[in-house]
Amino acid sequence: MRSHVEIITTPTSDTPGTTLLLHHDSRRYYIGNISEGTQRASVERGVRLSKLSQIFMTGKTEWANTGGLIGMILTLADQTGSSEISRTHHKAAKKRNSTFDREGNEGNEGSSVVAADGPLNDEDPTKHTLTIHGGKNLTHTLATARRFVFRKGMPVVVHEYGSGAENGNNLAATWSDMNIQVWAMSISPERPKGSENQFSSDCSQEPTAEQPRTSGSPIGQKASDRRIREAVISEMFNSGWRLDALVEIPLAKVRLPASAIFVRNSETGNIETYEGPLPGSAIPLPDITVLVRQPWPGALVESLPPTSPSHEAVSYIIRNHPQRGRFDPIKAKQLKVEKGRKYAQLTMGESVEAQDGTIVTPGMVLGEGKDGGGLAVVELPSVKYVKGLVGRPEWKSEEVMKGIGAIIWILGDGVSQDPSLKTFVNEMTHLKHIVSSRDHTPNYLALESAASAALRLHQICSKGFPIPDHDNVTLPQHQVGASLASVKPPESFVAAQRGQIVQLEPAVELLDHAIVPPLNTLKVMQQTPIDVLRLARDTDGQLYSVRNIGELRERQRDLYGKDVEIISLGTGSASPSKYRNVSATLIRVPGFGSYLLDCGENTLGQLKRVFPPCELKKVLRDLKMIWISHLHADHHLGTVSVIKAWYQEVHQSINPSTLSTPENLADILRLEHRLPVVSAAGMINWLADYSSVEDFGYERLLPLTVGSAKPWEGLSSSLTWGDTPLGFKTEDQALNLAMVEATGLADIQAVDVDHCVGAKAVSLTFPTGFKLSYSGDCRPSQAFAQIGKGSTVLLHEATFEDELQGDALAKKHSTTSEALGVGIAMGARRIVLTHFSQRYQKIPVMNEYEGKEPNLEGRNDQSLPNTDAALEASSDTLALVEDEVIEDEVNSFSRVPTSESSRTPSSVPCARSTSPKGQRQDEASAVVNIKKSVAVDMRIAVAFDYMRIRVGEIAELERFTPALMKLFDEAATQYKLTNGDSKRTEKTPDVKRVKQEQHGTTKGSPKGKKTKTNRRSSGADRSILL
């Protein structure tokens, strides 16, 4: 039996935590941190997790360690659901084939029948269960996501370990399965003198089987609270809820919004849509019962039992089971043991009776056994945890430590210098010591695919595409607000590296053969084709000629906000991929501040790659608002990390004695340095829920619930802080000025859009006249076009190319042409397209746009009711699930086949998404000529991760299109050559032809006459003309 532990991540900007993967033939186990970015790094490393069954979370239960857990569970649940569907369909096909005999007659009447929407009758496929181990509040953390997470078919079980779960002098394993034994160690920090009660919440014991669980006692209440949280988790991941189920309730008790209300026709018995007055209206309600869809049960839980932050940090000792010695059949025969079943029993460790009546024990016929190999994984967040760790009885127990050959240390800043820890390590020189820490591992580029793309884009246009900030040498790592003190680890420590392996069987060894070296950025840039660089250089020379500069200045003379900077932090949809992170865009408005539009997982890591530490400090200090468009996980799971970084930079550096006490609401807004977070109620409620787990700065936020405008009725958006109305045009002029000072805005307007309940698009207006509109995820909206009239910049999702119009309709997204149509309806001067399907791995496939009249959806989209996201399942589109999952990326994450629609529940019909005919996903990396015939000076940019571009530079970026086309043409050709296909397909872009088309002529056509490209026959239209 072979088993080993592989180091998947060490602390970097891309992967802030340390993650290990324990391999056994039958199962996989994640150990360490599941931080933001872990899933993306796993995809990058090609980790296949189809056998993942256990996750052992180390350290404290805080977002820095658990921020990637929800996203990873969603992906695992999706691949499990896809696997279940595939197996069910496979069985169904076999059953159908078996119902016909050789003569073609139908089979027996008793043949199994497949239900239309259920598993086979003979036996349901075994459900894959994911078990997560960790410290106190882990269950609570997952339960806070009940408003936006719902999956069926993958039960999630949580085991929490705290000081109350200690076994005293009993050092039996905390948990075991067929492969390993685990000893969990929950370590509390050392208490400063005079603060005996500071961590009292951590020391309360969980009830044991012997203790009574009466509701009147604190222990009984804890047990009751735990059961509530566990029930919520069960409903989130293993519910029997169905979207198409209707329940009958009195009309007066209907909770709005409901996506549809039905009544049963008393004469025909048919179900019909109810079209009468609704609860809350001025018209009296009829006394009738109606049929409605209910939200999934977990979302009906208004609030969770109270909790408080836990300071305990969990570590583990993990060991394989002992291996029995080799069975000796000669000895067994001599002892007169019957051959067959009794041989097997002895091999399994059971005693048997021989033919002469004597009892034969396994030790009489088995050779000498071997202790199972193992290691300890220890996380110490600060030096306060060292004393509790070194004093653990497990280290002195021969029974626990036999077979343990290594310790992997996950250490906070400066912990390796603690004298007590150094002494402990020196006493354990017989063990191998591997350390993962920002003090000892550099900030290398962990996401090589994204970094390589960024490097090549930088060569084409250095102004718009910076080199991701990194450092493969300096230790300790540069950090915001941290000093660079020299750190010297104990001599026994070996710095952890990606790909490093701790082999457990047949013997414990540290293997370096699979170590992944840092990305060689110089080599990547040297591999860029010379003709691509020549095109870029020629463009650069032409662009900055005196004539072109003068023309550009004249054309943009009346353009507001030319110096406003747009930074694309995540431009992909659904889940993180190798090339694109999930949604986030930073807008920097000189003189006013920075504004974050959506905040997908690891947005903070993307910020750290775009900005060096000194500049990131300024960005955080200038942050004026976070806008979350809707509750899909790919749009907001990075919010807590960004808020905490802002809080640490802004508020932990303020001397409290310098703060004055506000006397009114206007003073609170002006003086308390609060960060506005603006969204629907569901997002605000989630932040409040999670604030009981960790102090991430919630008390210093200005959480604003936004009400939707109704432009056709002349109604503006509303803003409320709790029950207190705020705004820019209230009767209180002092409050209006305070809002302008707090946000930097002159106005904010939002409308409901067609994507999921609670989804909103927004327009931000600044005192200078600069106006920016952001769509979030949606179908094209008339109401959005109305509030965005006169926008300087439109940032709009373009998830699908026009060929996938059916997918856009089914999943409630926009195509490229639809997004441009919204921009034309607004009269936007600049359009930035983002949120591309992850099937377009490097560059989105775009389409011709002839400037046709935009076809926007009707007015009804602007009247969708505002709601808490807990009711989102009442909608035809569930907000808890993103619309698609990337087939290529998920298949690199597991061996389970999955469909592109697997992010949508099986009960929700949606069209099948496919790449263009005959085109592999890796080939779908080119661009298309966007032809514009509009009156305004509209310029269009396509967003890439790490892109930094000023509004006044968007027109300049257009000119680099031929070089971009050539770059990705070469990449696609190289891909084909690598995979044995030396033929260039007809879809390969013809750069010369595209350049001619850009200037309005092609060879063989009259000079100056524009020719329309045939999209089906020319590869030139799969190019990017920004």
Side-chain angles (χ1 to χ4, degrees):
M1 178 186 72
R2 289 187 174 273
S3 64
H4 66 272
V5 172
E6 179 183 0
I7 297 176
I8 303 299
T9 69
T10 61
T12 67
S13 296
D14 300 316
T15 55
T18 300
T19 309
L20 317 172
L21 185 63
L22 170 58
H23 293 249
H24 269 270
D25 292 338
S26 58
R27 293 183 178 179
R28 303 288 186 270
Y29 309 79
Y30 254 149
I31 310 167
N33 313 136
I34 307 297
S35 306
E36 295 179 54
T38 301
Q39 181 182 173
R40 198 176 180 200
S42 298
V43 171
E44 182 72 47
R45 296 281 292 116
V47 174
R48 299 184 181 273
L49 298 179
S50 57
K51 296 181 180 179
L52 181 68
S53 62
Q54 310 287 328
I55 298 177
F56 292 92
M57 307 286 297
T58 60
K60 298 194 293 183
T61 302
E62 58 184 9
W63 200 259
N65 294 336
T66 64
L69 185 59
I70 292 173
M72 180 168 288
I73 294 174
L74 288 173
T75 297
L76 291 171
D78 288 337
Q79 72 174 42
T80 299
S82 298
S83 177
E84 295 292 322
I85 293 171
S86 298
R87 286 198 295 267
T88 301
H89 289 174
H90 179 68
K91 281 191 174 185
K94 291 180 67 176
K95 290 292 182 181
R96 285 194 296 269
N97 292 337
S98 67
T99 58
F100 292 87
D101 58 24
R102 294 180 180 179
E103 286 76 26
N105 298 322
E106 290 192 10
N108 296 331
E109 189 175 326
S111 299
S112 297
V113 179
V114 180
D117 55 354
L120 296 168
N121 292 345
D122 55 352
E123 182 179 358
D124 290 353
T126 302
K127 288 185 177 180
H128 177 87
T129 299
L130 178 67
T131 304
I132 307 171
H133 308 255
K136 179 190 172 185
N137 285 334
L138 183 56
T139 311
H140 192 100
T141 298
L142 294 179
T144 62
R146 65 195 181 279
R147 294 183 177 90
F148 57 89
V149 170
F150 174 75
R151 290 296 189 272
K152 298 173 69 172
M154 191 190 77
V156 172
V157 178
V158 180
H159 291 313
E160 293 187 0
Y161 305 112
S163 57
E166 302 295 342
N167 295 322
N169 294 325
N170 180 11
L171 294 179
T174 310
W175 182 88
S176 66
D177 69 354
M178 60 188 293
N179 294 320
I180 60 175
Q181 296 173 289
V182 178
W183 287 262
M185 301 182 292
S186 182
I187 303 165
S188 296
E190 187 176 3
R191 302 178 188 176
K193 292 182 179 180
S195 59
E196 286 77 8
N197 297 323
Q198 182 177 356
F199 305 113
S200 59
S201 62
D202 293 336
C203 302
S204 56
Q205 294 189 351
E206 293 289 336
T208 64
E210 291 75 22
Q211 291 173 324
R213 297 187 173 185
T214 59
S215 58
S217 69
I219 293 177
Q221 185 60 51
K222 284 180 176 291
S224 176
D225 292 349
R226 185 177 68 248
R227 287 194 294 270
I228 291 173
R229 296 186 184 100
E230 290 172 350
V232 171
I233 299 294
S234 177
E235 295 291 357
M236 289 168 61
F237 297 102
N238 193 34
S239 173
W241 177 88
R242 291 170 59 96
L243 177 67
D244 57 359
L246 296 174
V247 295
E248 190 173 35
I249 61 173
L251 175 61
K253 293 186 177 181
V254 172
R255 297 180 63 184
L256 295 179
S259 62
I261 303 175
F262 303 96
V263 292
R264 190 177 297 278
N265 189 304
S266 59
E267 296 179 359
T268 65
N270 295 334
I271 294 177
E272 301 173 351
T273 302
Y274 172 74
E275 297 179 350
L278 297 175
S281 66
I283 304 174
L285 297 179
D287 185 16
I288 61 173
T289 58
V290 294
L291 299 167
V292 296
R293 294 189 179 101
Q294 289 284 65
W296 63 96
L300 292 174
V301 179
E302 293 288 346
S303 60
L304 298 173
T307 189
S308 59
S310 172
H311 301 280
E312 296 181 14
V314 179
S315 300
Y316 303 97
I317 296 173
I318 301 174
R319 190 181 68 202
N320 291 333
H321 287 292
Q323 299 179 27
R324 298 186 182 91
R326 184 182 296 274
F327 178 75
D328 189 339
I330 297 177
K331 285 186 178 181
K333 185 176 181 180
Q334 292 173 348
L335 293 170
K336 299 182 180 180
V337 177
E338 296 177 68
K339 189 176 182 180
R341 183 173 61 87
K342 291 187 176 181
Y343 275 25
Q345 288 178 282
L346 286 167
T347 303
M348 296 299 294
E350 300 176 12
S351 299
V352 300
E353 184 178 349
Q355 291 175 329
D356 59 3
T358 60
I359 300 300
V360 178
T361 64
M364 299 168 68
V365 295
L366 297 178
E368 185 177 354
K370 174 185 174 297
D371 293 328
L375 82 170
V377 181
V378 175
E379 178 158 356
L380 302 176
S382 72
V383 294
K384 294 179 181 179
Y385 292 82
V386 174
K387 183 176 180 179
L389 180 279
V390 300
R392 296 288 304 194
E394 288 87 349
W395 305 119
K396 299 179 181 179
S397 169
E398 182 179 348
E399 180 62 27
V400 174
M401 293 299 292
K402 61 183 179 183
I404 302 301
I407 301 178
I408 296 180
W409 299 90
I410 303 173
L411 302 181
D413 299 341
V415 176
S416 64
Q417 304 304 294
D418 184 81
S420 299
L421 182 62
K422 288 183 176 181
T423 300
F424 178 82
V425 171
N426 291 333
E427 292 173 352
M428 295 278 188
T429 54
H430 60 289
L431 303 178
K432 296 174 175 60
H433 297 271
I434 304 97
V435 61
S436 180
S437 165
R438 291 183 298 196
D439 289 341
H440 306 291
T441 56
N443 185 24
Y444 57 85
L445 294 166
L447 304 174
E448 291 98 335
S449 298
S452 297
L455 289 167
R456 294 189 174 103
L457 289 169
H458 174 79
Q459 290 178 280
I460 291 176
C461 181
S462 59
K463 182 185 292 187
F465 304 106
I467 294 176
D469 186 72
H470 67 286
D471 189 332
N472 296 335
V473 178
T474 303
L475 292 174
Q477 295 181 20
H478 290 277
Q479 298 174 59
V480 177
S483 60
L484 291 176
S486 176
V487 174
K488 184 178 180 181
E491 294 182 1
S492 302
F493 274 175
V494 175
Q497 299 182 66
R498 282 182 308 163
Q500 209 166 34
I501 290 174
V502 179
Q503 178 181 280
L504 302 182
E505 304 293 352
V508 177
E509 294 184 53
L510 183 60
L511 306 178
D512 293 340
H513 67 277
I515 285 178
V516 181
L519 180 67
N520 188 329
T521 55
L522 179 60
K523 184 177 180 180
V524 170
M525 298 174 78
Q526 288 174 341
Q527 291 174 345
T528 303
I530 188 66
D531 49 352
V532 172
L533 299 177
R534 187 179 297 114
L535 274 173
R537 186 171 60 251
D538 292 346
T539 301
D540 192 71
Q542 296 170 9
L543 179 63
Y544 296 108
S545 66
V546 175
R547 176 183 175 184
N548 282 333
I549 291 176
E551 289 180 355
L552 185 61
R553 286 177 178 172
E554 179 63 26
R555 192 179 302 165
Q556 298 189 148
R557 184 174 53 182
D558 62 341
L559 184 68
Y560 289 117
K562 288 187 283 290
D563 291 334
V564 172
E565 192 174 17
I566 301 170
I567 299 98
S568 298
L569 303 171
T571 60
S573 65
S575 61
S577 75
K578 289 197 297 184
Y579 293 99
R580 293 182 183 273
N581 200 41
V582 286
S583 296
T585 305
L586 184 73
I587 310 296
R588 300 183 74 184
V589 185
F592 294 94
S594 300
Y595 302 80
L596 189 57
L597 305 178
D598 280 332
C599 192
E601 181 181 325
N602 208 28
T603 293
L604 181 61
Q606 298 288 92
L607 284 167
K608 290 180 177 180
R609 286 299 184 213
V610 173
F611 301 105
C614 57
E615 192 174 359
L616 182 57
K617 285 170 63 74
K618 183 174 180 5
V619 169
L620 292 173
R621 286 180 171 273
D622 288 345
L623 191 59
K624 282 296 185 74
M625 189 183 80
I626 298 176
W627 163 265
I628 303 299
S629 63
H630 63 292
L631 262 183
H632 277 160
D634 63 322
H635 287 255
H636 71 83
L637 284 183
T639 311
V640 169
S641 294
V642 172
I643 292 173
K644 188 169 184 177
W646 165 85
Y647 175 64
Q648 292 173 337
E649 177 60 33
V650 173
H651 282 277
Q652 294 188 2
S653 61
I654 294 177
N655 184 350
S657 62
T658 64
L659 297 176
S660 58
T661 303
E663 297 181 358
N664 53 54
L665 184 57
D667 287 342
I668 290 175
L669 296 176
R670 288 190 304 104
L671 301 175
E672 288 195 346
H673 306 282
R674 290 179 176 269
L675 174 63
V677 177
V678 187
S679 189
M683 179 66 191
I684 304 303
N685 291 340
W686 177 67
L687 291 174
D689 264 1
Y690 184 74
S691 66
S692 61
V693 174
E694 175 185 359
D695 178 17
F696 64 93
Y698 180 79
E699 295 300 323
R700 288 295 180 179
L701 298 180
L702 179 62
L704 297 176
T705 301
V706 62
S708 295
K710 293 180 173 56
W712 311 112
E713 301 175 18
L715 298 177
S716 298
S717 290
S718 61
L719 295 171
T720 56
W721 180 12
D723 296 327
T724 304
L726 297 175
F728 299 90
K729 300 176 182 178
T730 69
E731 296 179 357
D732 187 339
Q733 292 301 316
L735 187 61
N736 296 342
L737 292 173
M739 279 291 290
V740 172
E741 185 175 342
T743 64
L745 298 172
D747 194 19
I748 177 170
Q749 293 295 317
V751 292
D752 290 303
V753 288
D754 186 16
H755 182 64
C756 63
V757 176
K760 293 183 179 358
V762 68
S763 286
L764 307 178
T765 303
F766 290 81
T768 59
F770 174 73
K771 183 174 183 178
L772 181 137
S773 295
Y774 172 55
S775 69
D777 288 4
C778 65
R779 296 289 299 140
S781 165
Q782 279 194 358
F784 180 41
Q786 187 69 17
I787 67 167
K789 285 288 186 183
S791 289
T792 314
V793 176
L794 167 64
L795 184 63
H796 204 289
E797 70 120 294
T799 306
F800 294 107
E801 59 173 318
D802 289 348
E803 284 186 355
L804 299 179
Q805 175 75 23
D807 288 65
L809 285 166
K811 299 174 181 179
K812 302 198 174 186
H813 283 294
S814 298
T815 65
T816 303
S817 292
E818 289 172 335
L820 298 180
V822 175
I824 291 175
M826 285 184 178
R829 297 288 298 276
R830 301 292 182 262
I831 299 177
V832 178
L833 300 176
T834 187
H835 194 273
F836 303 107
S837 170
Q838 298 284 19
R839 76 191 66 206
Y840 313 128
Q841 292 295 294
K842 298 173 185 176
I843 294 187
V845 176
M846 295 176 58
N847 311 98
E848 294 179 348
Y849 189 75
E850 297 288 354
K852 299 177 182 177
E853 189 68 23
N855 181 22
L856 306 185
E857 294 188 352
R859 294 186 183 183
N860 60 338
D861 66 331
Q862 56 86 30
S863 59
L864 295 174
N866 185 20
T867 180
D868 189 297
L871 297 175
E872 287 180 296
S874 300
S875 173
D876 291 330
T877 299
L878 299 181
L880 58 130
V881 288
E882 187 46 274
D883 353 71
E884 62 169 330
V885 72
I886 333 124
E887 187 168 352
D888 185 51
E889 295 303 340
V890 172
N891 283 340
S892 70
F893 200 59
S894 73
R895 293 190 177 92
V896 181
T898 180
S899 69
E900 298 207 17
S901 60
S902 60
R903 284 276 183 191
T904 304
S906 57
S907 57
V908 180
C910 79
R912 168 69 177 172
S913 303
T914 57
S915 294
K917 185 176 180 180
Q919 188 176 14
R920 295 180 58 94
Q921 289 173 344
D922 284 42
E923 298 173 36
S925 60
V927 236
V928 145
N929 185 4
I930 303 174
K931 298 180 180 179
K932 306 178 296 294
S933 56
V934 292
V936 297
D937 176 33
M938 187 175 76
R939 292 290 180 265
I940 304 162
V942 173
F944 296 82
D945 283 20
Y946 308 130
M947 184 180 79
R948 293 183 66 174
I949 183 170
R950 288 185 170 85
V951 171
E953 296 169 349
I954 291 176
E956 300 176 24
L957 194 59
E958 280 187 340
R959 307 292 184 90
F960 290 94
T961 296
L964 288 169
M965 291 164 45
K966 185 65 176 175
L967 172 65
F968 290 102
D969 173 29
E970 295 289 345
T973 302
Q974 182 62 39
Y975 175 85
K976 295 168 197 164
L977 292 173
T978 303
N979 288 272
D981 181 6
S982 60
K983 297 181 180 180
R984 294 169 66 93
T985 69
E986 66 175 3
K987 292 185 181 293
T988 302
D990 182 337
V991 177
K992 183 177 180 180
R993 180 178 178 84
V994 173
K995 287 184 69 177
Q996 291 171 336
E997 287 186 350
Q998 188 179 18
H999 292 88
T1001 62
T1002 55
K1003 187 176 181 180
S1005 63
K1007 186 175 181 180
K1009 182 177 180 179
K1010 295 184 179 181
T1011 58
K1012 182 177 180 179
T1013 305
N1014 185 333
R1015 192 171 187 279
R1016 294 291 184 183
S1017 61
S1018 172
D1021 51 24
R1022 291 205 180 278
S1023 51
I1024 248 186
L1025 288 189
L1026 305 181

